[in-house]
Amino acid sequence: MISCEKAADICTRAQYNEATSMEKLKLRFHIIFCKICAEYTKQNKKLTSLCNKARLHSLSEREKAKMRETIRKLG
Amino acid sequence: MAENQLNPNSWVDNYADYLFNYAIGKVSDVETAKDLVSETFLAGLKSAKNFKGEAAERTWLIAILKRKVIDYYRKSNSKKGKAEVRMSSNSYAEDQGDWLEEKVADPYGNLGSDSIENEELGLALQVCIDKLPRKQSQVFTMKTIQGISTEEICNELDINPSNLWVMVHRARTTLMECLNKNWFNS
């Protein structure tokens, strides 16, 4: 069976659809026996759905750099 | 008793995304929101000497942004005011009700209570993201909010994928705790 550390790693990547089917199968098997990872997986999924619901926006690094520069010059 | 201080050099890192999301919630246009954030920082610099340290830095900046949002609506209303009245008087000629009041531009008019709740959730989440260590919040934001591919982030920040996933994992763990404390218990 995979370790809890490995399970958390797969679980995190699964939130971004970057875990393979085999990995997800291993994770599912792991959480049948591991209450802690089962709870962690549940919370992690919830965070993903909250992030989707929140529809946050973010300024790009370039835009932020421009703002930083302006503030530095005037500050 | 001036406990709070202004640190303009960390404004962008600490508050830019928060202010940006706040502004988008009010004006629902990304480009306008960007301009409002820039204007807020500039106005903040100009009036920094008036800062008494009574409010937290974030609160103070939001107060400035709120005024910018009001100015924005004032300007855009005075520009298109006439056209709106003409259109309204045609389509509501028979309406005896308070049609004018119903027609006045209301920034929340098209938002259901769901979107308002989601907006509040977004801001609560952004506060939590801003509390993360800088590198973690940067990686989490690029990956989750900007949806940039793992490969591209690794190239840009010069890290390897396992570094990236460790940081995302730590960020997510902290965010879950932060949201449980500040969102679900409030």
Side-chain angles (χ1 to χ4, degrees):
Chain A
M1 200 162 91
I2 56 173
S3 65
C4 290
E5 203 180 310
K6 185 71 197 160
D9 171 52
I10 295 171
C11 177
T12 302
R13 282 186 287 112
Q15 306 312 310
Y16 300 89
N17 293 323
E18 291 187 39
T20 64
S21 317
M22 191 59 199
E23 284 176 323
K24 283 190 271 189
L25 200 66
K26 284 179 185 167
L27 172 63
R28 231 181 290 162
F29 185 70
H30 179 96
I31 62 178
I32 294 172
F33 302 100
C34 180
K35 282 260 155 56
I36 295 170
C37 289
E39 180 58 26
Y40 180 79
T41 303
K42 204 175 112 196
Q43 293 279 324
N44 217 348
K45 278 186 193 156
K46 193 162 135 197
L47 179 63
T48 299
S49 87
L50 286 176
C51 288
N52 291 337
K53 248 173 54 180
R55 274 187 307 228
L56 278 179
H57 293 73
S58 167
L59 293 160
S60 70
E61 270 314 305
R62 206 180 331 133
E63 287 158 339
K64 284 183 188 170
K66 225 166 78 186
M67 287 185 186
R68 268 188 218 109
E69 184 60 18
T70 313
I71 292 177
R72 203 184 54 81
K73 270 189 200 151
L74 297 172
Chain B
M1 280 193 279
E3 292 110 3
N4 295 299
Q5 285 187 338
L6 296 180
N7 295 305
N9 287 328
S10 52
W11 281 356
V12 175
D13 286 333
N14 290 335
Y15 312 116
D17 280 336
Y18 184 94
L19 296 172
F20 184 44
N21 281 292
Y22 184 96
I24 289 175
K26 302 290 176 248
V27 301
S28 11
D29 173 66
V30 172
E31 289 307 315
T32 309
K34 269 179 211 166
D35 293 343
L36 289 172
V37 174
S38 298
E39 287 172 28
T40 300
F41 286 146
L42 295 184
L45 281 177
K46 260 189 213 158
S47 51
K49 54 182 181 302
N50 303 326
F51 181 73
K52 295 188 194 75
E54 281 158 9
E57 203 174 26
R58 180 197 303 276
T59 316
W60 186 74
L61 286 167
I62 291 168
I64 297 175
L65 175 58
K66 278 182 186 166
R67 280 204 298 269
K68 295 283 167 201
V69 171
I70 292 170
D71 286 348
Y72 165 77
Y73 274 109
R74 220 171 256 160
K75 267 183 226 155
S76 66
N77 277 346
S78 64
K79 256 185 240 159
K80 59 185 181 192
K82 279 177 190 164
E84 259 170 38
V85 171
R86 199 180 305 141
M87 183 201 75
S88 304
S89 59
N90 278 338
S91 32
Y92 290 86
E94 316 218 327
D95 210 332
Q96 298 297 307
D98 287 334
W99 58 269
L100 186 59
E101 255 171 60
E102 284 159 18
K103 279 285 120 187
V104 167
D106 173 6
Y108 302 108
N110 54 356
L111 293 177
S113 61
D114 251 18
S115 352
I116 290 176
E117 181 167 316
N118 288 347
E119 192 188 323
E120 284 171 5
L121 163 68
L123 293 176
L125 179 58
Q126 188 63 56
V127 169
C128 291
I129 294 171
D130 292 339
K131 282 186 197 156
L132 293 170
R134 185 62 52 221
K135 201 73 186 250
Q136 275 180 38
S137 78
Q138 195 183 14
V139 172
F140 177 83
T141 300
M142 289 171 96
K143 189 79 200 130
T144 316
I145 294 163
Q146 301 175 346
I148 302 175
S149 75
T150 302
E151 200 187 346
E152 217 174 309
I153 298 174
C154 287
N155 282 338
E156 195 162 325
L157 302 179
D158 199 20
I159 54 177
N160 63 45
S162 49
N163 291 150
L164 178 143
W165 290 116
V166 167
M167 278 192 267
V168 171
H169 165 72
R170 288 192 185 143
R172 293 183 72 93
T173 308
T174 313
L175 289 176
M176 289 175 218
E177 285 165 14
C178 181
L179 279 176
N180 278 333
K181 215 164 65 192
N182 300 322
W183 177 251
F184 293 107
N185 289 336
S186 64

